[in-house]
């Protein structure tokens, strides 16, 4: 085959992944800033430092594949192809936001691109993703469902229920655990009975892979394997992406890392910087292209803020609609 | 008079057949699966076994293991998988073996199914039907009536059919709704028989049934309580000349308040009769709404006849102490009429 197998096989598509990573980074830095300035209500859960996972995983998905995400989901949303302007408008509670102000940062959703919703309940996206996978199977589609969740969520009962049912039915479900070292304040090493969460897949008889979640090509490669298996009807897989949460849990949280030096260590493993080096080695990235890429990402973010600011506040009647479809 | 409760005044006479409540459900499921390939069933022991109460009997044999899915014992996943499948084009009808088990799946019912449409600004739909029995006779963990929990959550539809006719007609309507429906079936009703038209018909959500006309007092009853209320009404008419109007809301969400208000305007007295615990049961809500919407018409306090606030005991002699009886209802009716019981 001469066709491009992955976006990493060609300069243009590889560079677009790089730009996506920057877009996520800058979007979230902007969101945190807007929160500090009182322009975003509630909170913001940044995924800064985890961009390689969102971008690496989604880069092998089709828009008809379904993604379920979490409150720490801006990256997944962007990487699945969402309109950043409507995302920002939602964070800022505007009428042009994806959810017309009813969802906010924690409930972003764009079914048209297969982004079936972030979730505020730790672990709750897993069985929903299982159901999406089941429906795809029943409709004889060869699409897959992907669920992002944290290390903490892997301790929820629903992880077990979902893994077991997806396994007995060999559903096209890819579980992506972002092990960022913490569940809010509690270190994963304390809360998880094992070091490699991927090993939990063994209990259900499907493969689990632990991968360096800050290494985009590695994430992409393993996702390709898991997705291909799922599409071929070989059943679910669990990918554990080891990464690190640079920021506090959410914009509301007190700064609390058990070992701050740990964080400094991991900061050196900036996934964007790493992928940049990979691109340089390929001969696809140099300083001018790098600057252009960042500038484009920055431009998209500032246009998003402009768009959101220019959009009206969600109209008050919105509060009462969309509870039911059928008005009876 | 005792036949009033099974007759359906608002339908054109047509060929009828007699079915049990379980058969009526079974037929509606078969019909839905035949008509709509996006409909599938999922739940515990609903496959070859046919369901604990035989509601899915024969469907596995007819539609196969890909349309009638036996699940592991995994309530959170049963509901959660239903939510996800419903979001992307399927119409799952899932069974929770007992409604008490909703407690294990409450996140998926309350935080996911009920709120997906709203949180997404109308982008997501969850056309999921959850069928589940309420009941009596099986102790504290298998016979609760928890409908008030559900009625408290915006985004859910709730049906509580009392007859085979309503079971069939409401399930047909449920299949046309694009939001989650909790379909609560009383286990003591499954074997009761009633007439249903041979031709397809539907029972709309949000339309109460006046089970029995009356002028002295309005009794609002749901599920298996409807039969009891109608019987009590018949007896009081014969024994004491008291005219009781019995109303079955049939669905709790949406809720037909207009029919109740019109009735109270006529009778000036209202009693809510239900098998669920009294405190914060649906009687509290219905009673309060009568106060708000028909206060000027009331000649007596709105009264609740409901279960005592204790768990369901296993022994029949003890359960009889806890659950509201025909006698309790009769007493309440006499009390709001300021009469001494005969
Ligand atoms: C069911 C539930 N329990 C607790 C919380 C509060 N909470 C939100 S995020 C979080 C930590 C989750 O950690 P993890 O799954 O590792 O994901 P991360 O936040 O690190 O991305 C907690 C405790 C919640 N939202 N939902």
């Amino acid at each position: 085959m001469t066709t491009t197998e992955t976006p990493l096989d060609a300069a243009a598509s590889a560079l677009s992944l790089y730009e996506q990573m920057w877009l996520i980074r800058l979007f979230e830095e902007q969101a945190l800033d807007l929160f500090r300035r009182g322009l975003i209500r509630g909170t913001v859960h940044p995924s800064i430092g985890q961009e390689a996972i969102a971008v690496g995983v989604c880069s092998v998905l089709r828009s008809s594949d379904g993604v379920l995400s979490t409150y720490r989901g801006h990256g997944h949303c962007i990487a699945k192809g969402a309109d950043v302007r409507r995302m920002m408008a939602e964070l800022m509670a505007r009428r042009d936001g994806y959810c017309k102000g009813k969802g906010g940062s924690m409930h972003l959703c764009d079914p048209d691109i297969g982004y079936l919703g972030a979730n505020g309940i730790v672990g709750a996206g897993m069985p929903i993703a299982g159901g999406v996978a089941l429906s795809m199977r029943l409709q004889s589609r060869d699409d897959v469902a992907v669920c992002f969740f944290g290390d903490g969520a892997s301790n929820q009962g629903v992880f077990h229920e979902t893994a077991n049912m997806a396994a007995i039915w060999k559903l096209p479900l890819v579980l992506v655990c972002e092990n960022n070292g913490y569940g809010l304040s509690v270190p994963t090493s304390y809360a998880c009975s094992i070091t490699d969460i991927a090993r939990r897949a063994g209990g259900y008889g499907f493969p689990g892979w632990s991968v360096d979640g800050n290494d985009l090509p590695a994430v992409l490669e393993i996702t390709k394997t898991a997705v291909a298996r799922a599409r071929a009807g070989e059943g679910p897989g669990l990918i554990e992406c080891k990464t690190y949460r640079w920021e506090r849990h959410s914009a509301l949280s007190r700064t609390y890392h058990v070992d701050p030096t740990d964080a400094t260590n991991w900061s050196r493993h900036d996934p964007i910087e790493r992928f940049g080096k990979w691109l340089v080695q390929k001969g696809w990235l140099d300083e001018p292209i790098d600057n252009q890429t960042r500038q484009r990402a920055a431009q998209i973010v500032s246009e998003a803020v402009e768009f959101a600011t220019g959009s009206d506040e969600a109209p008050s009647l919105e509060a009462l609609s969309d509870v039911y479809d059928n008005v009876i | 008079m005792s036949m009033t409760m099974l007759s359906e005044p608002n339908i054109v006479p047509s060929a009828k057949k007699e079915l049990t409540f379980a058969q009526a459900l079974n037929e509606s499921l078969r019909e839905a699966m035949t008509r709509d390939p996006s409909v599938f069933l999922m739940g515990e022991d609903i496959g070859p076994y046919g369901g604990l109460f035989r509601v899915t009997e024969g469907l596995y044999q007819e539609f196969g293991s890909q349309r009638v899915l036996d699940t592991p014992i995994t309530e959170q996943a049963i509901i959660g998988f239903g939510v996800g499948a419903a979001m992307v084009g399927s119409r799952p009808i899932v069974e929770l073996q007992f409604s008490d088990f909703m407690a294990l799946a409450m996140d998926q019912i309350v935080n996911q199914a009920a709120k997906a449409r709203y949180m997404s600004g109308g982008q997501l739909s969850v056309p999921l039907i959850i069928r589940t029995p309420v009941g009596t006779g099986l102790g504290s963990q298998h016979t609760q009536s928890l409908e008030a929990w559900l009625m408290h959550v915006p985004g859910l539809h709730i049906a509580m059919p009392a007859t085979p006719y309503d079971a069939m007609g409401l399930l047909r309507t449920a299949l046309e709704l694009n939001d989650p429906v909790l379909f609560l079936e009383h286990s003591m009703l499954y074997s009761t028989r009633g007439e249903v038209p041979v031709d397809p018909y539907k029972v709309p959500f949000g339309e109460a049934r006046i089970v029995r006309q009356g002028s002295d007092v309005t009794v609002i009853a749901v599920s298996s309580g409807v039969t009891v209320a109608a019987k009590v009404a018949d007896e009081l008419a014969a024994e004491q000349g008291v005219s009781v109007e019995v109303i079955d809301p049939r669905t709790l969400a949406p809720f037909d308040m207009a029919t109740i208000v019109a009735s109270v305007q006529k009778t000036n007295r209202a009693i809510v009769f239900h098998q669920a615990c009294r405190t914060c049961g649906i009687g509290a809500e219905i009673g309060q709404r009568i106060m708000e919407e028909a206060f000027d018409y009331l000649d007596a306090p709105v009264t609740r006849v409901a279960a005592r606030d204790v768990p369901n005991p296993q022994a029949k002699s003890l359960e009889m102490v806890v659950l509201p009886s025909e006698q309790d209802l009769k007493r309440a009716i006499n009390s709001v009429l300021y009469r001494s019981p005969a």
Side-chain angles (χ1 to χ4, degrees), chain B residues 8-79:
Chain B
E8 293 300 330
N10 52 350
I11 57 157
V12 188
S14 68
K16 292 190 177 179
K17 58 185 171 184
E18 203 184 69
L19 292 176
T20 66
F21 192 92
Q23 284 166 344
L25 291 168
N26 181 274
E27 272 202 21
S28 323
L29 294 175
R30 176 177 291 105
E31 171 189 291
M33 294 185 75
T34 308
R35 197 188 57 238
D36 183 351
S38 71
V39 173
F40 72 93
L41 311 184
M42 182 164 57
E44 293 162 19
D45 309 293
I46 66 156
Y49 189 68
L52 248 60
F53 297 97
R54 303 180 153 206
V55 172
T56 57
E57 206 162 61
L59 299 177
Y60 176 90
Q61 290 78 0
E62 189 170 337
F63 296 98
S65 61
Q66 294 303 297
R67 303 270 319 270
V68 183
L69 292 106
D70 258 336
T71 66
I73 302 147
T74 190
E75 283 74 17
Q76 206 171 174
I78 293 170
I79 305 297

Side-chain angles (χ1 to χ4, degrees), chain B:
Chain B
M1 260 327 247
S2 60
M3 282 313 290
T4 347
M5 51 158 300
L6 289 181
S7 81
E8 293 300 330
N10 52 350
I11 57 157
V12 188
S14 68
K16 292 190 177 179
K17 58 185 171 184
E18 203 184 69
L19 292 176
T20 66
F21 192 92
Q23 284 166 344
L25 291 168
N26 181 274
E27 272 202 21
S28 323
L29 294 175
R30 176 177 291 105
E31 171 189 291
M33 294 185 75
T34 308
R35 197 188 57 238
D36 183 351
S38 71
V39 173
F40 72 93
L41 311 184
M42 182 164 57
E44 293 162 19
D45 309 293
I46 66 156
Y49 189 68
L52 248 60
F53 297 97
R54 303 180 153 206
V55 172
T56 57
E57 206 162 61
L59 299 177
Y60 176 90
Q61 290 78 0
E62 189 170 337
F63 296 98
S65 61
Q66 294 303 297
R67 303 270 319 270
V68 183
L69 292 106
D70 258 336
T71 66
I73 302 147
T74 190
E75 283 74 17
Q76 206 171 174
I78 293 170
I79 305 297
F81 275 53
V83 171
M87 277 179 181
V88 293
S90 293
R91 280 197 168 265
I93 305 177
V94 307
E95 177 175 313
L96 281 183
Q97 207 156 58
F98 288 93
S99 60
D100 312 65
F101 307 163
M102 287 193 304
L104 286 90
M106 222 48 186
D107 172 53
Q108 290 296 326
I109 297 172
V110 173
N111 292 322
Q112 313 300 330
K115 294 179 175 58
R117 174 181 302 283
Y118 189 83
M119 295 188 303
S120 69
Q123 297 181 93
L124 292 172
S125 290
V126 182
L128 166 69
I129 298 177
I130 302 170
R131 297 184 31 255
T132 188
V134 296
T136 47
L138 277 169
S140 297
Q141 297 174 335
H142 288 74
T143 40
Q144 293 165 87
S145 295
L146 300 171
E147 62 275 5
W149 285 9
L150 302 167
M151 203 179 177
H152 193 63
V153 179
L156 301 176
H157 291 300
I158 309 155
M160 274 191 110
T163 64
Y165 177 92
D166 283 343
M168 189 171 230
L170 287 169
L171 192 53
R172 285 200 182 109
T173 304
L175 277 150
E176 291 180 347
L177 300 175
N178 291 323
D179 293 296
V181 176
L182 272 294
F183 209 86
L184 305 179
E185 307 162 2
H186 199 286
S187 61
M188 294 301 148
L189 289 176
Y190 282 126
S191 58
T192 58
R193 309 183 76 83
E195 278 190 335
V196 302
V198 172
D199 293 337
Y201 66 95
K202 282 176 211 142
V203 173
F205 276 44
E207 214 175 283
R209 180 168 71 108
I210 300 173
V211 179
R212 189 189 188 288
Q213 306 261 358
S215 52
D216 292 337
V217 54
T218 301
V219 172
I220 300 124
V222 292
S223 193
S224 64
V226 174
T227 320
V228 179
K231 179 167 174 268
V232 164
D234 286 346
E235 286 173 9
L236 283 181
E239 293 162 10
Q240 300 177 34
V242 173
S243 171
V244 179
E245 178 143 301
V246 178
I247 296 180
D248 173 8
R250 299 197 285 197
T251 61
L252 299 180
F255 192 75
D256 178 3
M257 201 54 207
T259 299
I260 292 171
V261 168
S263 176
V264 172
Q265 285 174 348
K266 180 174 65 172
T267 63
N268 313 115
R269 294 169 167 85
I271 293 168
V272 190
F273 178 57
H274 60 65
Q275 191 190 289
C277 292
R278 176 189 178 88
T279 299
C280 292
I282 61 168
E285 172 63 21
I286 296 169
Q288 180 63 24
R289 283 195 65 181
I290 294 171
M291 296 274 283
E292 287 169 1
E293 295 172 41
F295 182 76
D296 290 343
Y297 294 89
L298 288 172
D299 287 342
V302 181
T303 300
R304 288 172 289 178
V305 179
R308 308 277 191 98
D309 290 322
V310 296
N312 260 57
Q314 180 56 65
K316 181 158 189 183
S317 56
L318 300 179
E319 194 181 60
M320 281 166 59
V321 174
V322 172
L323 294 182
S325 67
E326 291 172 22
Q327 280 314 315
D328 294 334
L329 183 55
K330 279 187 185 171
R331 254 196 304 276
I333 290 170
N334 277 310
S335 159
V336 297
L337 287 167
Y338 303 111
R339 294 161 53 113
S340 43

Side-chain angles (χ1 to χ4, degrees), chain A residues 98-100 102-103 107 109 111 119 121 124 127-128 130-132 135 138-139 161 165 169 319 321-322 324-326 328, chain B residues 40 66 70 72 74 76-77 80-81 84-85 88 90 107-108 112 117-119 121-124 155-157 178-179 205:
Chain A
Y98 269 113
C99 318
K100 299 179 281 183
K102 296 178 208 182
H107 302 293
C109 175
N119 211 308
I121 305 295
I128 298 174
V132 170
S135 181
L138 295 175
Q139 295 176 51
E161 294 197 28
M165 201 138 93
W169 290 339
S321 67
D322 296 324
Y324 296 97
D325 178 34
N326 315 65
I328 306 175
Chain B
F40 72 93
Q66 294 303 297
D70 258 336
T74 190
Q76 206 171 174
F81 275 53
V88 293
S90 293
D107 172 53
Q108 290 296 326
Q112 313 300 330
R117 174 181 302 283
Y118 189 83
M119 295 188 303
Q123 297 181 93
L124 292 172
L156 301 176
H157 291 300
N178 291 323
D179 293 296
F205 276 44

Side-chain angles (χ1 to χ4, degrees), chain A residues 184-306:
Chain A
L184 216 156
S185 70
V186 176
T188 313
S189 56
Y190 171 87
C192 273
S193 54
I194 49 175
T195 316
D196 291 335
I197 290 165
R199 281 180 53 207
R200 292 188 167 170
Y204 307 97
F206 58 77
W209 301 271
S210 287
V211 64
D212 181 343
N214 288 1
D215 179 356
L216 184 140
V219 172
L220 186 150
E221 207 47 49
I222 212 70
T223 309
K224 222 179 83 180
T225 306
V227 167
R229 281 187 81 255
R231 280 201 212 291
E234 289 165 36
L238 167 64
I239 303 171
E240 176 196 11
C241 300
K242 297 203 191 270
T243 181
Y244 200 81
R245 198 187 79 209
W246 291 13
E247 296 285 329
R248 64 190 101 177
H249 168 70
S250 94
L252 280 180
S253 316
R254 303 189 294 282
T255 312
Y256 182 84
H257 275 78
V258 171
D259 179 3
T261 54
D262 204 11
T264 327
N265 264 336
W266 271 83
S267 304
R268 288 194 221 116
H269 300 298
D270 182 345
I272 304 187
E273 213 177 285
R274 261 173 88 172
F275 189 49
K277 280 185 187 144
W278 187 92
L279 290 165
V280 169
Q281 271 171 13
K282 282 273 184 187
W284 292 341
L285 186 69
D286 56 20
E287 218 180 297
I289 298 179
D290 199 9
N291 288 334
Q292 278 166 25
T293 310
R294 290 186 201 204
Q295 270 162 25
R296 251 197 322 272
Q299 179 68 21
I300 294 169
V301 171
S302 72
E303 277 169 18
V305 176
E306 221 169 283

